[in-house]
Every structure is written in C-alpha cells, then in structure tokens.
Amino acid sequence: MVFKRLFSLLSKVKTIQHTIQHSKAGNFVQLKPKLYRESIHFNKNMVLAGDMYEETMIEGFIIVPKNISVTLQNLTVSPTAQMYVEGEVVLQNCRFVGGKSNVHVTIDGGKINAYNCHFEQAKEMAVSILNGSKAIFENCTFVQNEKVHILAESSQACIEKCEFSHGKHGIWIKNGSLIQTRNVHLHHHTNTQIIVEDAKYIDHESLIESGDGIGLQLLHEGDASLQTTVFQYNGKTQISVQKGYLTARHCSVLQGDLAGIAVAQHGEVQTYHCVIAQNKKANVIVSKNSKMNIECCHIHSGESSGLQILDESIVNLFESKLNGHRSAQISISNKSICSMKQCVVKEGYHVGICIEDKGNCTIVDSEITHNANSAITIFKSELTIIKSILSDNIGNGILAMSHSKVEVDLCKFFDNEMPHIACKSHVKIELLQSQLYNGKSLFIVNECELTATQCQFYDSHNVQIEICDLSTGRFEQCQIYNGKSYGLKVLRNSSLYLLDSQIFHHELAQIVVNDSSVIMKNSEMFDGNRNALIIQNHSEVYIQDCFISKHVQHQLWIDFESTVELKSVQITDGAHSDIFAQNQSSVYVSDSIIRNNKSRFNVQAVNFSKIELIKTVVENSYGDVYYSENNSFIKQLDF
C-alpha cells in the first residue's frame, strides 16, 4: 500500500502539474532535486516533497483553492507571483526566497501551518493573512522582506519560536485580527516592529529589540496583552499606545533611545510587576486624556523623567518604586491626576514629584526620600498626602507655590536640607497629625494660609516655623519644641492663631512677632533659654487663658509701638522681668497672675510706654513689682 501511495516523478514526466493531474488524492509526490520553472494549481489533497539533502526549487505561481489541503516539504520557492491559498496548506522545512512577486504567500480565507520555514527578500511582504484566515508558524525565520514580514487582516494566527529581522515592519495586525506569539524574536527593523491596529495581540516571553523605530505600536482600538515580554534598544518609543489598550505583566522595557512606554489620545494601559528603565527620554509618558495603572513596578535610571502625566490624563500607582532619574521622577501637569499608594520615590537627581498647571496628586502610605532637590514641588495645583514619609531630600519636603492647595495628614518630615514645607504666593495648606523634625519645619510667605492641627514641630537647628508677608498661620493642639533657634516667627503684616498648643525648649525666643498680629488662647510657653515672646514694630498680640513660665530673659518683650492684651494669663517663674514694654508700646492685662521670685521687677515700662492692669495679681518676693521711666507709666486698677 505504501508503494501504491508513493508516486515518483520520473525523468520522463515533464512537469509537476502533469504529475498532480495523474496522481490520486492523498498521494505523496517526491520531487527530484532540481529547478522547476512552472506554476502549480492543486486540484486535490496531496503531499509534495523535495529532496532532504539537495535543493529542490520551484520558480512559479502556486495556487491552493478552496476545499483543497496540500502539504509542501523540503522545497525552495522563488515565486513569480504570490503563492495563493484559499484552502489549507502545510509548509515543512520550506524556503521562500526572492522572486518576482511582491508577496510570497497570501492566505485568503484559508489556513496555513508553517514549521521550520524560511521567508526572505519579498518585495513587500512575506505572508499576507486575509479574510478570516487562520495561521500557525513555528520555528520559522523572516528576514529582509522589505515592507512587512506578516500582515494579518480580519484573521487569526499563532506564532511560536520564530525570528523576524531586517525589514521595515515585523508584524502588522489589522481589522479585528488576533495574533498570539510566544518566544518570538523581532530585531533590526527600520520602522515599527509590531503594529496593532483595531486588532488583538497576545504575547508570552518574546524579545523585541534593536529596531530603528517603535517596538510595539497600538492604534485605533488596538489591544495588546503581554506576559514576560522584553523590549530593549529600540530607536524610538519602545511601546506606543494611541487610542489603544495594553496590559503588560512581568515585562521589561529597557534602554530605549526615546521613551519606554508612551500612552496618548485616550489610550489605556495596565502594567503589573514590570521593569521600565534606562530609557533616554521619559521612561513612561501618559498624555492627551489617557489612563494608566501601574502596580508593583520598578521605574528607574532614566536620563529624563521617570513618569510624565500630561493633558488631563489619569495615572494610578500601587506598590511601585521610582528612582535614579535625571529630571523629575514624576511630573504631573495640565489638569492631570495621579494617585499613589505604598510607593517609593527616591534617589532622584532632581525633584521627586513635580505637580503643575492644575495637576492633582494624592499620595498614601508612601516614601519620597533622598532626592537631590525637593521631594514634592507644586505650582498652581493640588496635593493630598497621607501616612507618608518625606525625608533626606536636598531641597524641601514640599515646595508649594502660586495658588496651590496642600493637605498633609499623618505624615513625617525629617532631615530635609531646606524647610520641610515651604509655601509661596497664595497657597492654602492644612496639616493634620503630622511630625516635622530635624530641619526647619515651615516657611510660609506671600499671602499664604496655613492650618495645623495636632502636629509636632521639633529638633530644628534653624527657625522651626516662619510666617511672613501677609500670610496666616493657625495652630491648634500642636507642639513646637526643642529648637536650636527661634520657635516661631511671624513677620511683615502676617497673622498667627495659636490655640490649645505648647511651645517650649528653644535656644532663642519661642515666638517673635514683627509688624504682625497674634491671637493665642489656651496655650503654654515654658522652659525657654531666651524670651517667651518678642513683640515689635507695630505688632498686635492678644493672649487669653495661657500659661507662660521659666524663661531666662524677659518673658514678654514688647517693643516699637506694639500692643499686647493679656486676659486670664499666668506668667510665672521667670529669671528676668515678666513683662517689658518700651518705645511707645502698650500692654493691657486683666484677670491674670504675674508672679516672679527671681527678678527685681515683674513689670517694666520705658520710653513712652504704658501698662494697665485690671483684676490682676502681681507678686514678687525678691523686690519691687513695677518699674517705669522716661514718660512711661504703669497703672493698676482693681475693680
């Protein structure tokens, strides 16, 4: 039976077509090794095989019509026109080389299975898969096909362990097609290596590298799912998503000449456990109303930014790490939104996070540390940061400017070289249950508004808190302590509200008020190495229900036409005078206790100053309680 099914092409037979016509369906036809210049039209199912050891070449046009199944083995084909398949063809150990046709193989509504085949030097494309066709390629190579190696339109294909190189494009997937690849290697294409346009692409464990253009481009609802895919050394953006969808898991996007991943024009991307690194432009760019979710990823060592979010785009980061970027590690601008949870942003050569032009950023349970500039910079934008650490940055922890809004809750700021939080020009900032230490805590300037509740500010080597130039600070249930300089300065027509708070253990004056106003209620100031309050230059201070004690110098120093009102205040145990007013200053005291056993005078008024006391106890076991000179007076009224 074997010999009956074996039909040998003998030397007396002139053509392959003649052999096909005289063979039976299902026959195995063995060709002698030589060059056959003819076209072949199969009209029955069969196997056509060349010699395994010497080249058997067909130079011609091959047609496999509908309802016909053909297997070609060990053949070299140099087509004069494209091989056209409407039926089914199996290619085993075949080579398609050069020829006169633009396309080596066209599958039109048919099926192709190619194993260990080679396709090269097509004028346009190696294989065109059209109109509901199905294809399988295993262990095949595609090289030097000028425009594209495989084009799929409205079809399906599985490609495994294949290599594509040295053409314009590697794979082009269009019009509802589905291509699945595994362990594929694409390299050295002059333009985009894979294009997915209104189609679906699924890949596992492939390598896409060393192209002159884009690695993978998704266009017009193109959808790609990648697993353990590697992109590297591509000359343009390694993955570009425009109006498309990408899901990437355990992928690497490395060392591109431009961006690693760029998402634009309403594109959407999901990345999980990916490494995106060492791309010369931004590692990730999300722009033009696009969305991206980044989970458990590592984005690092870029020559520009790590993540750029532009043009009303939205990005979510979870359990991800960004480090080692030359520009801002994360940049958010143009009404874009970024949320971060359990992330680390560290060791950047510039700003950690930059938010500008109506951007919005929410950060939860994250660390922003060891950056060579500020941890976070905000310009005309909004920031909410919760349960996070901002430390060891060369600049500020937060630098907020120009009509920005900042909310800080349950955070820690320490060891930043510039003020932990600096606000300039119409910034509103709210601090809640946060700690700022080992560095200047706050610098608030130019019509800013600060509210701090249940916060701690301590261990600064400089002024702990400075509020300047028409700014307002409100502190409630806060502690300000252990500073090596001043505790709090209120300067140049600014305002301070201090409620239910404590200020203690400062090397210099605990509070300095210059040309500004202060309201202090239900608070304590104690154990200072200088003054409790220095009030000067037309300042106004109101203190009610407070306790002030144990300061080495005058506990309240009032100077240069300033006014102070004390109500229900206890001032005790000072090493010097409790109240000292000079240079046309005024002090009004009611319902208070002023007790001093260490200095000769409790209350002093000099140089055209006045002090009035009502229902106030002034005691001094050491000496006199009052002293006035140079057109000053002290009046006590008990009624």
Side-chain angles (χ1 to χ4, degrees), residues 243-275:
K243 295 183 180 179
Y245 308 90
L246 169 68
T247 302
R249 292 179 170 85
H250 299 280
C251 295
S252 299
V253 185
L254 310 172
Q255 296 181 309
D257 288 342
L258 289 178
I261 299 175
V263 193
Q265 298 177 353
H266 300 275
E268 295 187 15
V269 173
Q270 305 272 344
T271 57
Y272 307 92
H273 301 279
C274 294
V275 176

PDB file of all heavy atoms in Angstrom, residues 243-275:
ATOM      1  N   LYS A 243      -5.024  55.561  21.315  1.00  0.00           N
ATOM      2  CA  LYS A 243      -6.402  55.075  21.203  1.00  0.00           C
ATOM      3  C   LYS A 243      -6.447  53.559  21.287  1.00  0.00           C
ATOM      4  O   LYS A 243      -7.266  52.894  20.645  1.00  0.00           O
ATOM      5  CB  LYS A 243      -7.045  55.535  19.895  1.00  0.00           C
ATOM      6  CG  LYS A 243      -7.235  57.030  19.789  1.00  0.00           C
ATOM      7  CD  LYS A 243      -7.941  57.404  18.501  1.00  0.00           C
ATOM      8  CE  LYS A 243      -8.123  58.917  18.396  1.00  0.00           C
ATOM      9  NZ  LYS A 243      -8.776  59.308  17.138  1.00  0.00           N
ATOM     10  N   GLY A 244      -5.547  52.982  22.062  1.00  0.00           N
ATOM     11  CA  GLY A 244      -5.487  51.538  22.190  1.00  0.00           C
ATOM     12  C   GLY A 244      -5.459  51.118  23.647  1.00  0.00           C
ATOM     13  O   GLY A 244      -5.560  51.931  24.576  1.00  0.00           O
ATOM     14  N   TYR A 245      -5.302  49.796  23.861  1.00  0.00           N
ATOM     15  CA  TYR A 245      -5.345  49.204  25.200  1.00  0.00           C
ATOM     16  C   TYR A 245      -4.170  48.247  25.351  1.00  0.00           C
ATOM     17  O   TYR A 245      -3.936  47.397  24.492  1.00  0.00           O
ATOM     18  CB  TYR A 245      -6.662  48.449  25.411  1.00  0.00           C
ATOM     19  CG  TYR A 245      -7.894  49.255  25.089  1.00  0.00           C
ATOM     20  CD1 TYR A 245      -8.434  49.239  23.803  1.00  0.00           C
ATOM     21  CD2 TYR A 245      -8.514  50.042  26.049  1.00  0.00           C
ATOM     22  CE1 TYR A 245      -9.556  49.987  23.485  1.00  0.00           C
ATOM     23  CE2 TYR A 245      -9.637  50.789  25.744  1.00  0.00           C
ATOM     24  CZ  TYR A 245     -10.157  50.753  24.454  1.00  0.00           C
ATOM     25  OH  TYR A 245     -11.257  51.500  24.152  1.00  0.00           O
ATOM     26  N   LEU A 246      -3.466  48.351  26.459  1.00  0.00           N
ATOM     27  CA  LEU A 246      -2.320  47.483  26.712  1.00  0.00           C
ATOM     28  C   LEU A 246      -2.385  46.944  28.127  1.00  0.00           C
ATOM     29  O   LEU A 246      -2.621  47.705  29.077  1.00  0.00           O
ATOM     30  CB  LEU A 246      -1.014  48.258  26.522  1.00  0.00           C
ATOM     31  CG  LEU A 246       0.273  47.554  27.004  1.00  0.00           C
ATOM     32  CD1 LEU A 246       0.561  46.344  26.130  1.00  0.00           C
ATOM     33  CD2 LEU A 246       1.452  48.514  27.009  1.00  0.00           C
ATOM     34  N   THR A 247      -2.157  45.641  28.262  1.00  0.00           N
ATOM     35  CA  THR A 247      -1.945  45.019  29.563  1.00  0.00           C
ATOM     36  C   THR A 247      -0.590  44.324  29.529  1.00  0.00           C
ATOM     37  O   THR A 247      -0.348  43.500  28.640  1.00  0.00           O
ATOM     38  CB  THR A 247      -3.049  44.010  29.890  1.00  0.00           C
ATOM     39  OG1 THR A 247      -4.317  44.668  29.875  1.00  0.00           O
ATOM     40  CG2 THR A 247      -2.831  43.400  31.264  1.00  0.00           C
ATOM     41  N   ALA A 248       0.288  44.663  30.465  1.00  0.00           N
ATOM     42  CA  ALA A 248       1.633  44.076  30.486  1.00  0.00           C
ATOM     43  C   ALA A 248       1.927  43.529  31.878  1.00  0.00           C
ATOM     44  O   ALA A 248       1.770  44.238  32.875  1.00  0.00           O
ATOM     45  CB  ALA A 248       2.676  45.124  30.104  1.00  0.00           C
ATOM     46  N   ARG A 249       2.345  42.271  31.928  1.00  0.00           N
ATOM     47  CA  ARG A 249       2.690  41.618  33.191  1.00  0.00           C
ATOM     48  C   ARG A 249       4.113  41.067  33.113  1.00  0.00           C
ATOM     49  O   ARG A 249       4.467  40.383  32.156  1.00  0.00           O
ATOM     50  CB  ARG A 249       1.712  40.483  33.505  1.00  0.00           C
ATOM     51  CG  ARG A 249       0.299  40.962  33.833  1.00  0.00           C
ATOM     52  CD  ARG A 249      -0.635  39.790  34.105  1.00  0.00           C
ATOM     53  NE  ARG A 249      -1.923  40.219  34.645  1.00  0.00           N
ATOM     54  CZ  ARG A 249      -2.945  40.612  33.903  1.00  0.00           C
ATOM     55  NH1 ARG A 249      -2.827  40.626  32.579  1.00  0.00           N
ATOM     56  NH2 ARG A 249      -4.077  41.004  34.460  1.00  0.00           N
ATOM     57  N   HIS A 250       4.909  41.373  34.133  1.00  0.00           N
ATOM     58  CA  HIS A 250       6.277  40.843  34.239  1.00  0.00           C
ATOM     59  C   HIS A 250       7.097  41.153  32.984  1.00  0.00           C
ATOM     60  O   HIS A 250       7.899  40.329  32.539  1.00  0.00           O
ATOM     61  CB  HIS A 250       6.247  39.336  34.506  1.00  0.00           C
ATOM     62  CG  HIS A 250       5.557  38.962  35.780  1.00  0.00           C
ATOM     63  ND1 HIS A 250       6.154  39.035  37.019  1.00  0.00           N
ATOM     64  CD2 HIS A 250       4.287  38.525  36.006  1.00  0.00           C
ATOM     65  CE1 HIS A 250       5.299  38.652  37.944  1.00  0.00           C
ATOM     66  NE2 HIS A 250       4.158  38.344  37.373  1.00  0.00           N
ATOM     67  N   CYS A 251       6.898  42.319  32.427  1.00  0.00           N
ATOM     68  CA  CYS A 251       7.623  42.719  31.226  1.00  0.00           C
ATOM     69  C   CYS A 251       8.791  43.638  31.582  1.00  0.00           C
ATOM     70  O   CYS A 251       8.837  44.231  32.657  1.00  0.00           O
ATOM     71  CB  CYS A 251       6.684  43.419  30.249  1.00  0.00           C
ATOM     72  SG  CYS A 251       5.373  42.346  29.600  1.00  0.00           S
ATOM     73  N   SER A 252       9.725  43.762  30.657  1.00  0.00           N
ATOM     74  CA  SER A 252      10.857  44.672  30.807  1.00  0.00           C
ATOM     75  C   SER A 252      10.917  45.588  29.597  1.00  0.00           C
ATOM     76  O   SER A 252      10.809  45.128  28.455  1.00  0.00           O
ATOM     77  CB  SER A 252      12.169  43.886  30.920  1.00  0.00           C
ATOM     78  OG  SER A 252      12.159  43.047  32.059  1.00  0.00           O
ATOM     79  N   VAL A 253      11.097  46.876  29.867  1.00  0.00           N
ATOM     80  CA  VAL A 253      11.205  47.879  28.803  1.00  0.00           C
ATOM     81  C   VAL A 253      12.468  48.673  29.100  1.00  0.00           C
ATOM     82  O   VAL A 253      12.483  49.545  29.968  1.00  0.00           O
ATOM     83  CB  VAL A 253       9.962  48.786  28.752  1.00  0.00           C
ATOM     84  CG1 VAL A 253      10.047  49.736  27.578  1.00  0.00           C
ATOM     85  CG2 VAL A 253       8.683  47.956  28.672  1.00  0.00           C
ATOM     86  N   LEU A 254      13.550  48.385  28.381  1.00  0.00           N
ATOM     87  CA  LEU A 254      14.878  48.808  28.808  1.00  0.00           C
ATOM     88  C   LEU A 254      15.642  49.520  27.700  1.00  0.00           C
ATOM     89  O   LEU A 254      15.589  49.135  26.532  1.00  0.00           O
ATOM     90  CB  LEU A 254      15.696  47.596  29.262  1.00  0.00           C
ATOM     91  CG  LEU A 254      15.036  46.641  30.273  1.00  0.00           C
ATOM     92  CD1 LEU A 254      15.895  45.396  30.451  1.00  0.00           C
ATOM     93  CD2 LEU A 254      14.828  47.348  31.600  1.00  0.00           C
ATOM     94  N   GLN A 255      16.369  50.553  28.070  1.00  0.00           N
ATOM     95  CA  GLN A 255      17.435  51.149  27.278  1.00  0.00           C
ATOM     96  C   GLN A 255      16.993  51.560  25.876  1.00  0.00           C
ATOM     97  O   GLN A 255      17.682  51.316  24.894  1.00  0.00           O
ATOM     98  CB  GLN A 255      18.626  50.177  27.205  1.00  0.00           C
ATOM     99  CG  GLN A 255      19.240  49.947  28.586  1.00  0.00           C
ATOM    100  CD  GLN A 255      20.423  49.014  28.565  1.00  0.00           C
ATOM    101  OE1 GLN A 255      20.340  47.929  28.008  1.00  0.00           O
ATOM    102  NE2 GLN A 255      21.521  49.429  29.167  1.00  0.00           N
ATOM    103  N   GLY A 256      15.847  52.213  25.790  1.00  0.00           N
ATOM    104  CA  GLY A 256      15.414  52.767  24.517  1.00  0.00           C
ATOM    105  C   GLY A 256      16.014  54.140  24.282  1.00  0.00           C
ATOM    106  O   GLY A 256      16.392  54.861  25.217  1.00  0.00           O
ATOM    107  N   ASP A 257      16.080  54.549  23.025  1.00  0.00           N
ATOM    108  CA  ASP A 257      16.635  55.861  22.689  1.00  0.00           C
ATOM    109  C   ASP A 257      15.658  56.996  22.958  1.00  0.00           C
ATOM    110  O   ASP A 257      16.057  58.150  23.028  1.00  0.00           O
ATOM    111  CB  ASP A 257      17.064  55.885  21.221  1.00  0.00           C
ATOM    112  CG  ASP A 257      18.312  55.048  20.967  1.00  0.00           C
ATOM    113  OD1 ASP A 257      19.017  54.744  21.949  1.00  0.00           O
ATOM    114  OD2 ASP A 257      18.575  54.697  19.810  1.00  0.00           O
ATOM    115  N   LEU A 258      14.362  56.687  23.069  1.00  0.00           N
ATOM    116  CA  LEU A 258      13.368  57.690  23.438  1.00  0.00           C
ATOM    117  C   LEU A 258      12.624  57.204  24.679  1.00  0.00           C
ATOM    118  O   LEU A 258      13.236  56.802  25.639  1.00  0.00           O
ATOM    119  CB  LEU A 258      12.436  57.978  22.269  1.00  0.00           C
ATOM    120  CG  LEU A 258      13.071  58.754  21.091  1.00  0.00           C
ATOM    121  CD1 LEU A 258      12.079  58.932  19.964  1.00  0.00           C
ATOM    122  CD2 LEU A 258      13.603  60.110  21.537  1.00  0.00           C
ATOM    123  N   ALA A 259      11.301  57.225  24.640  1.00  0.00           N
ATOM    124  CA  ALA A 259      10.509  56.827  25.807  1.00  0.00           C
ATOM    125  C   ALA A 259      10.397  55.309  25.908  1.00  0.00           C
ATOM    126  O   ALA A 259      10.496  54.588  24.913  1.00  0.00           O
ATOM    127  CB  ALA A 259       9.118  57.445  25.725  1.00  0.00           C
ATOM    128  N   GLY A 260      10.156  54.843  27.142  1.00  0.00           N
ATOM    129  CA  GLY A 260       9.888  53.417  27.335  1.00  0.00           C
ATOM    130  C   GLY A 260       8.472  53.073  26.911  1.00  0.00           C
ATOM    131  O   GLY A 260       8.251  52.301  25.980  1.00  0.00           O
ATOM    132  N   ILE A 261       7.476  53.665  27.582  1.00  0.00           N
ATOM    133  CA  ILE A 261       6.063  53.491  27.224  1.00  0.00           C
ATOM    134  C   ILE A 261       5.459  54.878  27.052  1.00  0.00           C
ATOM    135  O   ILE A 261       5.585  55.732  27.931  1.00  0.00           O
ATOM    136  CB  ILE A 261       5.287  52.717  28.299  1.00  0.00           C
ATOM    137  CG1 ILE A 261       5.862  51.306  28.482  1.00  0.00           C
ATOM    138  CG2 ILE A 261       3.805  52.631  27.945  1.00  0.00           C
ATOM    139  CD1 ILE A 261       5.216  50.515  29.610  1.00  0.00           C
ATOM    140  N   ALA A 262       4.780  55.113  25.916  1.00  0.00           N
ATOM    141  CA  ALA A 262       4.077  56.383  25.675  1.00  0.00           C
ATOM    142  C   ALA A 262       2.615  56.080  25.379  1.00  0.00           C
ATOM    143  O   ALA A 262       2.308  55.285  24.490  1.00  0.00           O
ATOM    144  CB  ALA A 262       4.708  57.140  24.513  1.00  0.00           C
ATOM    145  N   VAL A 263       1.723  56.699  26.154  1.00  0.00           N
ATOM    146  CA  VAL A 263       0.283  56.487  26.012  1.00  0.00           C
ATOM    147  C   VAL A 263      -0.350  57.823  25.646  1.00  0.00           C
ATOM    148  O   VAL A 263      -0.129  58.818  26.337  1.00  0.00           O
ATOM    149  CB  VAL A 263      -0.339  55.955  27.321  1.00  0.00           C
ATOM    150  CG1 VAL A 263      -1.750  55.449  27.074  1.00  0.00           C
ATOM    151  CG2 VAL A 263       0.529  54.870  27.935  1.00  0.00           C
ATOM    152  N   ALA A 264      -1.147  57.858  24.566  1.00  0.00           N
ATOM    153  CA  ALA A 264      -1.713  59.128  24.117  1.00  0.00           C
ATOM    154  C   ALA A 264      -3.097  58.911  23.516  1.00  0.00           C
ATOM    155  O   ALA A 264      -3.487  57.775  23.203  1.00  0.00           O
ATOM    156  CB  ALA A 264      -0.788  59.786  23.084  1.00  0.00           C
ATOM    157  N   GLN A 265      -3.840  60.015  23.382  1.00  0.00           N
ATOM    158  CA  GLN A 265      -5.121  60.032  22.669  1.00  0.00           C
ATOM    159  C   GLN A 265      -6.095  58.984  23.205  1.00  0.00           C
ATOM    160  O   GLN A 265      -6.512  58.064  22.503  1.00  0.00           O
ATOM    161  CB  GLN A 265      -4.890  59.840  21.160  1.00  0.00           C
ATOM    162  CG  GLN A 265      -4.057  60.962  20.553  1.00  0.00           C
ATOM    163  CD  GLN A 265      -3.756  60.759  19.089  1.00  0.00           C
ATOM    164  OE1 GLN A 265      -4.053  59.720  18.523  1.00  0.00           O
ATOM    165  NE2 GLN A 265      -3.137  61.747  18.471  1.00  0.00           N
ATOM    166  N   HIS A 266      -6.417  59.127  24.494  1.00  0.00           N
ATOM    167  CA  HIS A 266      -7.389  58.257  25.157  1.00  0.00           C
ATOM    168  C   HIS A 266      -6.928  56.793  25.232  1.00  0.00           C
ATOM    169  O   HIS A 266      -7.750  55.882  25.327  1.00  0.00           O
ATOM    170  CB  HIS A 266      -8.748  58.319  24.450  1.00  0.00           C
ATOM    171  CG  HIS A 266      -9.347  59.696  24.435  1.00  0.00           C
ATOM    172  ND1 HIS A 266     -10.101  60.189  25.476  1.00  0.00           N
ATOM    173  CD2 HIS A 266      -9.274  60.691  23.499  1.00  0.00           C
ATOM    174  CE1 HIS A 266     -10.487  61.429  25.173  1.00  0.00           C
ATOM    175  NE2 HIS A 266     -10.000  61.760  23.995  1.00  0.00           N
ATOM    176  N   GLY A 267      -5.636  56.562  25.192  1.00  0.00           N
ATOM    177  CA  GLY A 267      -5.128  55.208  25.388  1.00  0.00           C
ATOM    178  C   GLY A 267      -5.264  54.759  26.832  1.00  0.00           C
ATOM    179  O   GLY A 267      -5.374  55.575  27.755  1.00  0.00           O
ATOM    180  N   GLU A 268      -5.243  53.437  27.047  1.00  0.00           N
ATOM    181  CA  GLU A 268      -5.343  52.872  28.395  1.00  0.00           C
ATOM    182  C   GLU A 268      -4.305  51.770  28.552  1.00  0.00           C
ATOM    183  O   GLU A 268      -4.191  50.896  27.689  1.00  0.00           O
ATOM    184  CB  GLU A 268      -6.747  52.324  28.653  1.00  0.00           C
ATOM    185  CG  GLU A 268      -7.828  53.387  28.658  1.00  0.00           C
ATOM    186  CD  GLU A 268      -9.192  52.853  29.077  1.00  0.00           C
ATOM    187  OE1 GLU A 268      -9.231  51.727  29.643  1.00  0.00           O
ATOM    188  OE2 GLU A 268     -10.203  53.534  28.834  1.00  0.00           O
ATOM    189  N   VAL A 269      -3.584  51.797  29.679  1.00  0.00           N
ATOM    190  CA  VAL A 269      -2.512  50.826  29.922  1.00  0.00           C
ATOM    191  C   VAL A 269      -2.598  50.307  31.344  1.00  0.00           C
ATOM    192  O   VAL A 269      -2.818  51.076  32.289  1.00  0.00           O
ATOM    193  CB  VAL A 269      -1.126  51.465  29.675  1.00  0.00           C
ATOM    194  CG1 VAL A 269      -0.011  50.519  30.104  1.00  0.00           C
ATOM    195  CG2 VAL A 269      -0.960  51.839  28.209  1.00  0.00           C
ATOM    196  N   GLN A 270      -2.401  48.988  31.489  1.00  0.00           N
ATOM    197  CA  GLN A 270      -2.282  48.340  32.793  1.00  0.00           C
ATOM    198  C   GLN A 270      -0.929  47.644  32.832  1.00  0.00           C
ATOM    199  O   GLN A 270      -0.617  46.833  31.953  1.00  0.00           O
ATOM    200  CB  GLN A 270      -3.394  47.297  32.984  1.00  0.00           C
ATOM    201  CG  GLN A 270      -4.799  47.809  32.794  1.00  0.00           C
ATOM    202  CD  GLN A 270      -5.371  48.366  34.075  1.00  0.00           C
ATOM    203  OE1 GLN A 270      -4.856  48.124  35.158  1.00  0.00           O
ATOM    204  NE2 GLN A 270      -6.446  49.131  33.955  1.00  0.00           N
ATOM    205  N   THR A 271      -0.107  47.966  33.840  1.00  0.00           N
ATOM    206  CA  THR A 271       1.183  47.285  33.980  1.00  0.00           C
ATOM    207  C   THR A 271       1.295  46.678  35.375  1.00  0.00           C
ATOM    208  O   THR A 271       0.951  47.322  36.366  1.00  0.00           O
ATOM    209  CB  THR A 271       2.356  48.247  33.751  1.00  0.00           C
ATOM    210  OG1 THR A 271       2.252  49.341  34.667  1.00  0.00           O
ATOM    211  CG2 THR A 271       2.356  48.788  32.333  1.00  0.00           C
ATOM    212  N   TYR A 272       1.787  45.435  35.434  1.00  0.00           N
ATOM    213  CA  TYR A 272       1.941  44.713  36.696  1.00  0.00           C
ATOM    214  C   TYR A 272       3.327  44.070  36.726  1.00  0.00           C
ATOM    215  O   TYR A 272       3.720  43.377  35.787  1.00  0.00           O
ATOM    216  CB  TYR A 272       0.875  43.626  36.838  1.00  0.00           C
ATOM    217  CG  TYR A 272      -0.547  44.113  36.660  1.00  0.00           C
ATOM    218  CD1 TYR A 272      -1.158  44.091  35.414  1.00  0.00           C
ATOM    219  CD2 TYR A 272      -1.286  44.591  37.742  1.00  0.00           C
ATOM    220  CE1 TYR A 272      -2.459  44.530  35.244  1.00  0.00           C
ATOM    221  CE2 TYR A 272      -2.590  45.025  37.584  1.00  0.00           C
ATOM    222  CZ  TYR A 272      -3.169  44.995  36.324  1.00  0.00           C
ATOM    223  OH  TYR A 272      -4.466  45.429  36.147  1.00  0.00           O
ATOM    224  N   HIS A 273       4.071  44.298  37.798  1.00  0.00           N
ATOM    225  CA  HIS A 273       5.371  43.645  38.013  1.00  0.00           C
ATOM    226  C   HIS A 273       6.307  43.857  36.813  1.00  0.00           C
ATOM    227  O   HIS A 273       7.018  42.941  36.398  1.00  0.00           O
ATOM    228  CB  HIS A 273       5.185  42.150  38.279  1.00  0.00           C
ATOM    229  CG  HIS A 273       4.328  41.845  39.465  1.00  0.00           C
ATOM    230  ND1 HIS A 273       4.788  41.868  40.757  1.00  0.00           N
ATOM    231  CD2 HIS A 273       3.006  41.529  39.541  1.00  0.00           C
ATOM    232  CE1 HIS A 273       3.806  41.577  41.581  1.00  0.00           C
ATOM    233  NE2 HIS A 273       2.707  41.370  40.878  1.00  0.00           N
ATOM    234  N   CYS A 274       6.323  45.048  36.278  1.00  0.00           N
ATOM    235  CA  CYS A 274       7.177  45.354  35.132  1.00  0.00           C
ATOM    236  C   CYS A 274       8.394  46.181  35.574  1.00  0.00           C
ATOM    237  O   CYS A 274       8.360  46.873  36.590  1.00  0.00           O
ATOM    238  CB  CYS A 274       6.392  46.122  34.069  1.00  0.00           C
ATOM    239  SG  CYS A 274       5.073  45.159  33.292  1.00  0.00           S
ATOM    240  N   VAL A 275       9.443  46.111  34.770  1.00  0.00           N
ATOM    241  CA  VAL A 275      10.623  46.951  34.949  1.00  0.00           C
ATOM    242  C   VAL A 275      10.736  47.849  33.724  1.00  0.00           C
ATOM    243  O   VAL A 275      10.794  47.364  32.590  1.00  0.00           O
ATOM    244  CB  VAL A 275      11.902  46.110  35.111  1.00  0.00           C
ATOM    245  CG1 VAL A 275      13.120  47.013  35.202  1.00  0.00           C
ATOM    246  CG2 VAL A 275      11.804  45.224  36.346  1.00  0.00           C
TER     247      VAL A 275
END
